Amino acid sequence: MGAEIITGIAEFRATVRDWCRAHVPAEWRATQTGATDAEFVNFQQSWFQELRTAGYAVPHWPREYGGGMPIPEQIVLYQELAAHDAPRLVLPFVAIHHAAATLLAGGTAEQRQRHLPAILDGELWVQGFSEPDAGSDLAALRTAGRRDGDDYLVTGQKVWASGAQYADWCLLLARTDPEAAERKGISYFLMDMRSPGIDVRPIRQATGESHFCEIFLDEVRIPGANLLGTENRGWQLAQQTLGAERGLTMLELAERLGNAGFRWLVEECRKPGALGRPALDDPRTTDRLARLETELTGLRALCRDLVERHDAGTAGPADASIVKLYYSELLQRMTDFGAEISGLPGQTVLRKPMSGGWESGTWVLDFVGSWEWTIPGGSSEIQRTIIGERGLGLPREPAGAR
C-alpha cells in the first residue's frame, strides 16, 4: 500500500509539472509589474479560471464544491506551483480561504449554495474586521448594527481591508448588542459591497501599492438572510475565519517562501557585491543561508503537520497561531537579509509584480511589505498570548492588560 501511495504521488507530481510547463505564463512578472488595476484584475481572474479548469484552484474545499484533494497531493501542488514560479492568487485569496472556511463552518445551506459556486465563477471578497481602535483587540470593535424590521442597518468604519476596492462581498463584524460584554454582542454579516452607503478608500502604502483600504459604512442595509450564524454570537464564528487566516492558508505561502523565495535569495548572494565578489564567498553569508534554510524546512514541516491534523480533527487550539507567528517573523528575517545583500542597487527598485507573493525578489519592497504580516490577523504579541494561554495553559492576562 505504501509503494502504491508513493507511486501515485510521483505520478501526480509529474502531471502538475507538465501542466505548469504548459500553462504558467512565461512573461507574467514583466506584464504584471506596473500593471493597471484593470490589467491586474483581468489577469487574476483569468489565472484563477486556468487553475479551476485543471482542478487546482480550491484543492482544500470539500469535494462537492470542487475540491477534495488529499493533503499529500495539496503539498505537491503547492510545491510545483512555487517551483515553476506560478502567479499567486492574490485577489481571490480571501474568497477561497477566509470566506469559504467561514461559510462551510457557519453558513446556511442557502448561503453556501449562493456564494461557493459564485466564488468559483470569480466572486471576490474582503474581510471587514479591523477598525481604527480595534485591530489586534478585535473585540473592541464599534461598528454598530441595529435591527430595522427584518433587516439590519450598519454604521461604522473598517480599516486594513485588503482588496476592498475590487470586492463584491464583505465578511463583516458589527456590534448588535452594545450592552453585552465585548465578545458577546457581536454579529457576523455577509455584506454586498454594492449596497448604498458604502465608501471604499484605498490607502497608499510605503511600497507604492494600495493593497489596504478603509471602508466607511453609513446606514448600510443588510438583509436578515445575510446574518451568518446567530445574532450576537458572531465572535465564535469569527474565530473560524481567523483560524483560516492564521493557519490553513500558510501551506501555499510556506512552500513559496521555502522554494522560489529561498532560491532567489541564493541567486542574490551569487551576484557581485560592492567589493566585486559575490556575498556567497563570505562564510558569514553561507552561515546565514544555512540557518534560514533550516528554519524554512521547519516551517514547511509545521504547515504540513497543521493541515494534516486539521483534516483529522486533532489540531490544537493554538496551532494556527504558532504557524502564523513563525511564518511572519521568518518572512521578515529572510527579506531583511535579502535587502541587506542587494545593497544600494536594491534600493532603486520601485515596483514589484502585482500578482507575486510576499517574496518577489525585489527585496527592499518585500521587506517593507513583510511588516504587515506581524499585524493583521492578530499581531505577533497577540499570537504569543494565544500560544501561552490556549496552547501552554498559562494564566490569562488581567483584563486591564488587554
Side-chain angles (χ1 to χ4, degrees), residues 249-307:
T249 61
M250 296 296 172
L251 181 61
E252 177 192 1
L253 298 180
E255 290 300 330
R256 286 183 178 272
L257 188 65
N259 193 313
F262 185 72
R263 186 172 68 244
W264 292 327
L265 185 60
V266 173
E267 290 173 358
E268 190 71 48
C269 292
R270 288 196 175 106
K271 296 178 182 177
L275 300 178
R277 62 176 183 269
L280 204 57
D281 290 350
D282 189 327
R284 291 172 297 181
T285 299
T286 55
D287 179 66
R288 290 180 70 176
L289 286 173
R291 278 185 284 160
L292 284 170
E293 186 174 26
T294 301
E295 291 183 90
L296 289 164
T297 300
L299 172 66
R300 295 164 82 177
L302 193 63
C303 288
R304 294 172 208 168
D305 179 65
L306 172 61
V307 172

Side-chain angles (χ1 to χ4, degrees), residues 346-378:
Q347 307 286 328
T348 65
V349 181
L350 303 179
R351 296 186 302 182
K352 58 187 289 187
M354 294 182 70
S355 295
W358 299 100
E359 62 305 306
S360 68
T362 51
W363 295 109
V364 174
L365 296 181
D366 288 341
F367 177 59
V368 172
S370 73
W371 285 87
E372 69 184 69
W373 260 99
T374 56
I375 301 172

Side-chain angles (χ1 to χ4, degrees), residues 72-121:
E73 292 187 2
Q74 289 187 44
I75 293 169
V76 168
L77 172 63
Y78 292 131
Q79 285 176 341
E80 292 302 322
L81 289 172
H84 289 83
D85 192 27
R88 181 171 162 259
L89 290 175
V90 179
L91 270 187
F93 193 78
V94 172
I96 64 178
H97 291 292
H98 306 172
T102 308
L103 286 164
L104 289 167
T108 64
E110 292 77 12
Q111 288 169 341
R112 289 194 293 269
Q113 192 55 45
R114 160 65 182 85
H115 290 292
L116 292 176
I119 288 171
L120 289 178
D121 288 336

Side-chain angles (χ1 to χ4, degrees), residues 323-336:
V323 170
K324 198 268 187 183
L325 178 66
Y326 189 0
Y327 171 83
S328 57
E329 297 196 349
L330 177 54
L331 176 68
Q332 283 186 355
R333 290 193 295 274
M334 184 167 157
T335 54
D336 182 23

Side-chain angles (χ1 to χ4, degrees), residues 173-185:
L173 293 181
R175 187 167 300 285
T176 46
D177 185 354
E179 304 301 321
E182 279 190 343
R183 299 182 182 183
K184 295 183 178 179

Side-chain angles (χ1 to χ4, degrees), residues 14-213:
T15 298
V16 177
R17 281 179 178 171
D18 289 343
W19 185 89
C20 286
R21 293 187 188 108
H23 292 271
V24 172
E27 303 299 327
W28 75 266
R29 285 188 171 274
T31 59
Q32 283 291 285
T33 300
T36 65
D37 279 0
E39 290 168 340
F40 171 57
V41 172
N42 289 338
F43 179 82
Q44 283 281 301
Q45 295 283 33
S46 174
W47 177 237
F48 180 72
Q49 293 307 319
E50 284 271 356
L51 290 165
R52 178 190 179 186
T53 300
Y56 299 157
V58 289
H60 57 293
W61 284 20
R63 187 175 300 278
E64 62 266 31
Y65 292 109
M69 184 180 291
I71 298 299
E73 292 187 2
Q74 289 187 44
I75 293 169
V76 168
L77 172 63
Y78 292 131
Q79 285 176 341
E80 292 302 322
L81 289 172
H84 289 83
D85 192 27
R88 181 171 162 259
L89 290 175
V90 179
L91 270 187
F93 193 78
V94 172
I96 64 178
H97 291 292
H98 306 172
T102 308
L103 286 164
L104 289 167
T108 64
E110 292 77 12
Q111 288 169 341
R112 289 194 293 269
Q113 192 55 45
R114 160 65 182 85
H115 290 292
L116 292 176
I119 288 171
L120 289 178
D121 288 336
E123 184 177 85
L124 301 175
W125 285 71
V126 62
Q127 189 169 305
F129 280 25
S130 295
E131 299 182 5
D133 295 316
S136 294
D137 185 14
L138 183 60
L141 65 87
R142 297 180 182 177
T143 293
R146 59 180 175 84
R147 277 280 191 177
D148 186 57
D150 293 332
D151 301 339
Y152 293 84
L153 293 177
V154 180
T155 298
Q157 179 186 355
K158 298 294 178 178
V159 73
W160 312 126
S162 302
Q165 68 269 51
Y166 311 114
D168 302 302
W169 285 81
C170 176
L171 297 169
L172 182 73
L173 293 181
R175 187 167 300 285
T176 46
D177 185 354
E179 304 301 321
E182 279 190 343
R183 299 182 182 183
K184 295 183 178 179
I186 295 172
S187 295
Y188 204 135
F189 297 99
L190 310 176
M191 183 177 70
D192 189 338
M193 290 294 287
R194 294 157 293 194
S195 303
I198 298 176
D199 181 17
V200 176
R201 303 179 190 176
I203 301 171
R204 185 172 175 82
Q205 297 160 234
T207 58
E209 302 168 302
S210 296
H211 177 66
F212 296 117
C213 297

